[in-house]
Amino acid sequence: MKIYPVILSGGAGSRLWPLSRAALPKQLLPLVSSKTMLQETALRLADWPEMMAPLLVCGEEHRFLVAEQMRDIALEPLAIMLESVGRNTAPAVAAAAWYLQAIDPEAIMLVLPADHVIEDRAAFHAAIERALQPASEGALATFGIVPTAPETGYGYIWRGAAIAGSDACYQVERFVEKPDAQTAAGFLASGDYFWNSGMFLFSAASYLHELKQFQPAMADATETAVRLAYRDLDFCRLNEAAFAACPADSIDYAVMEHTSRAVVVPADIGWSDVGSWSALREVLPRDPAGNAVRGDVYLDNVSNSLVRAESRIVAVIGLDDVVVVETADAVLVAHKDQVQRVKQVVGHLQETGRTEHLQHTKVYRPWGCYEGIDLGDRFQVKRITVNPGGKLSLQMHHHRAEHWIVVSGTAQVTCGDEVKLLSENQSTYIPIGMTHRLENPGRLPLHLIEVQSGSYLGEDDIVRYEDVYKRV
């Protein structure tokens, strides 16, 4: 039986600020291993013969990063579907279901968030196998995580009667919102409740049948968005107007809490949604004092803490139960029991018009990346990396001039009507108002220093005439 993984890679991941930003959310970060969480999710199924290439659903702003991360692990997705706006999980799954049903009317969908940790891959595969029979018979199966603690941060699933003839599958009695501590303790003691993982297995036809019944406007809007979708480079771009008109809702609220077809499959798979810095510490290797450490870190008399350094040495002395996360432009220090309040920091940054919640000092582009080094009155300095074959847009600036110094690699520079090659230690000047382009024609990354000078240095001072990545 063919199974089509549908990996949902949306969201801003604000709970893991300052490492996670809107432009680089947690699913695109290497939080647990050397691979990103998206890559780990895709590779978790790559060695299963019945598993088809994944269908990825993501926002437009992350499309090139998602594609590049799939290339890095040599995995070619079935498609990368682009949402013009976020509409929560129910419309995203519906769009994937319409797309898959057109390819395979009997398609079975395995819906997975891109940002979860699953430590026991064999147990995860076994849970999928158990869910296959009811899913192939029209059920909407969800995976209920066997709880290990009276967790108040998760929703729960109350299991009902066992499904006749199935292997450890149960009817869903009810979905339960996040409980208080006393209620959660009762859930744990009863043995009849599971954490709601947000992972599902069902046929595309079954999901769409239920969606039409409970959310007909959502079904119609997503069908139109897929029917009018169009190809954009390597991406499947949903029709913007139709998808924007779609009601927003989660798959639980839109379908699973109403359908009579819901079943739950218990899954003891070492699962975490990594919803906070404390949750991340729990799934990382820890030293004898209970510390999870990443980067250039010095600890003295520290226990039960998470300390992560991204760009410089971080020293922590005489503290217990803390989270310390350092990036180039922001530092978080919190008690590990207070890390849920990180979202309030992000809210403050939004309200005060700052940008530290949006992107890092290192900003990724489809051609490579740039990183701010210095900023002053009428000037700024950037470090630019252009990947082999990468090509910036043919562009012009109204308010700034640029000086480029090649550090390593080969640069092909268009400046007006002139095209020239620059190598290490060579430089060039781009006057204000001059049409220009930077390319890397070589096989090695191009590294250069850019010095901008002028009355306005914002990224919106770009007039693009031609762009191979079709940006505006």
Side-chain angles (χ1 to χ4, degrees):
M1 185 179 297
K2 294 179 181 178
I3 306 172
Y4 295 84
V6 175
I7 301 177
L8 307 179
S9 185
S14 59
R15 289 178 294 179
L16 292 184
W17 183 89
L19 197 59
S20 179
R21 313 276 177 108
L24 193 65
K26 71 172 183 174
Q27 66 268 24
L28 302 179
L29 293 169
L31 295 178
V32 179
S33 71
S34 60
K35 295 182 175 62
T36 69
M37 301 191 77
L38 171 63
Q39 290 173 326
E40 292 282 10
T41 300
L43 290 172
R44 207 170 281 137
L45 303 166
D47 58 354
W48 192 332
E50 292 81 13
M51 203 66 62
M52 307 303 290
L55 169 60
L56 281 67
V57 185
C58 70
E60 179 178 351
E61 65 275 20
H62 301 141
R63 63 194 187 280
F64 294 112
L65 281 170
V66 168
E68 183 63 27
Q69 291 193 5
M70 291 298 99
R71 282 193 290 270
D72 284 346
I73 58 173
L75 197 160
E76 183 175 352
L78 177 67
I80 300 177
M81 183 176 287
L82 304 183
E83 301 174 302
S84 55
V85 290
R87 284 293 178 262
N88 213 319
T89 54
V93 174
W98 287 115
Y99 185 92
L100 291 173
Q101 193 175 50
I103 296 173
D104 181 355
E106 298 181 356
I108 298 291
M109 304 170 59
L110 176 62
V111 179
L112 304 171
D115 56 357
H116 289 184
V117 167
I118 295 175
E119 296 178 331
D120 192 335
R121 183 180 297 191
F124 177 49
H125 288 189
I128 296 170
E129 293 278 10
R130 290 196 300 273
L132 267 176
Q133 180 182 338
S136 65
E137 295 173 353
L140 276 60
T142 184
F143 297 92
I145 305 301
V146 177
T148 57
E151 176 62 56
T152 60
Y154 297 143
Y156 283 72
I157 301 171
W158 180 15
R159 76 177 187 187
I163 304 295
S166 67
D167 182 12
C169 298
Y170 302 87
Q171 294 176 352
V172 172
E173 188 69 29
R174 185 160 57 91
F175 287 85
V176 183
E177 295 292 337
K178 298 175 182 178
D180 58 31
Q182 183 177 355
T183 304
F187 289 171
L188 183 65
S190 76
D192 292 329
Y193 290 81
F194 305 100
W195 292 335
N196 186 354
S197 70
M199 300 187 295
F200 306 91
L201 187 77
F202 41 63
S203 71
S206 294
Y207 178 73
L208 292 174
H209 179 276
E210 299 301 278
L211 189 72
K212 291 174 188 176
Q213 180 178 349
F214 301 115
Q215 296 286 339
M218 186 181 296
D220 289 344
T222 51
E223 189 276 334
T224 302
V226 173
R227 178 167 46 84
L228 300 180
Y230 57 97
R231 194 80 174 174
D232 181 0
L233 299 177
D234 293 333
F235 307 104
C236 172
R237 190 180 289 276
L238 295 171
N239 178 267
E240 292 87 346
F243 198 74
C246 181
D249 210 346
S250 72
I251 187 172
D252 284 344
Y253 288 146
V255 175
M256 297 301 292
E257 293 188 359
H258 306 288
T259 181
S260 60
R261 297 186 182 188
V263 304
V264 59
V265 178
D268 188 2
I269 57 178
W271 172 90
S272 172
D273 71 346
V274 197
S276 69
W277 285 112
S278 292
L280 178 60
R281 174 188 164 273
E282 293 299 317
V283 300
L284 291 174
R286 297 185 290 277
D287 65 19
N291 299 309
V293 174
R294 183 85 170 259
D296 192 2
V297 171
Y298 171 83
L299 301 181
D300 181 358
N301 193 26
V302 176
S303 65
N304 300 318
S305 297
L306 183 150
V307 183
R308 181 166 181 143
E310 293 294 309
S311 63
R312 71 202 81 183
I313 184 170
V314 171
V316 182
I317 301 172
L319 295 177
D320 303 320
D321 302 318
V322 297
V323 170
V324 180
V325 182
E326 176 273 335
T327 66
D329 62 343
V331 177
L332 169 71
V333 181
H335 191 280
K336 71 178 185 180
D337 293 339
Q338 299 293 314
V339 291
Q340 295 292 351
R341 297 170 67 86
V342 168
K343 294 186 76 172
Q344 295 177 226
V345 180
V346 175
H348 168 75
L349 296 173
Q350 292 172 327
E351 292 167 5
T352 54
R354 301 185 60 136
T355 61
E356 289 91 341
H357 63 295
L358 297 175
Q359 59 190 24
H360 291 273
T361 56
K362 187 174 186 178
V363 178
Y364 290 91
R365 291 289 185 256
W367 44 261
C369 62
Y370 68 84
E371 183 174 6
I373 300 174
D374 196 7
L375 175 64
D377 184 27
R378 295 180 61 87
F379 83 92
Q380 68 175 327
V381 183
K382 294 181 177 180
R383 180 187 293 113
I384 295 178
T385 300
V386 184
N387 297 328
K391 179 187 296 188
L392 281 67
S393 60
L394 184 65
Q395 58 185 252
M396 181 269 287
H397 309 298
H398 287 294
H399 304 288
R400 71 172 186 251
E402 295 176 340
H403 304 254
W404 294 341
I405 305 103
V406 176
V407 176
S408 64
T410 300
Q412 179 172 303
V413 177
T414 299
C415 186
D417 296 329
E418 182 184 8
V419 179
K420 58 185 175 182
L421 292 177
L422 302 179
S423 57
E424 184 173 330
N425 291 326
Q426 293 184 315
S427 63
T428 191
Y429 170 64
I430 310 295
I432 293 175
M434 180 65 71
T435 302
H436 62 279
R437 166 177 272 161
L438 175 65
E439 304 177 48
N440 179 359
R443 297 182 178 180
L444 298 175
L446 164 65
H447 298 282
L448 58 83
I449 299 297
E450 176 183 81
V451 180
Q452 301 177 356
S453 60
S455 60
Y456 179 72
L457 305 174
E459 281 300 304
D460 55 346
D461 181 24
I462 297 178
V463 178
R464 287 195 175 97
Y465 298 105
E466 179 185 313
D467 183 46
V468 296
Y469 309 106
K470 298 186 178 181
R471 297 168 297 168
V472 294

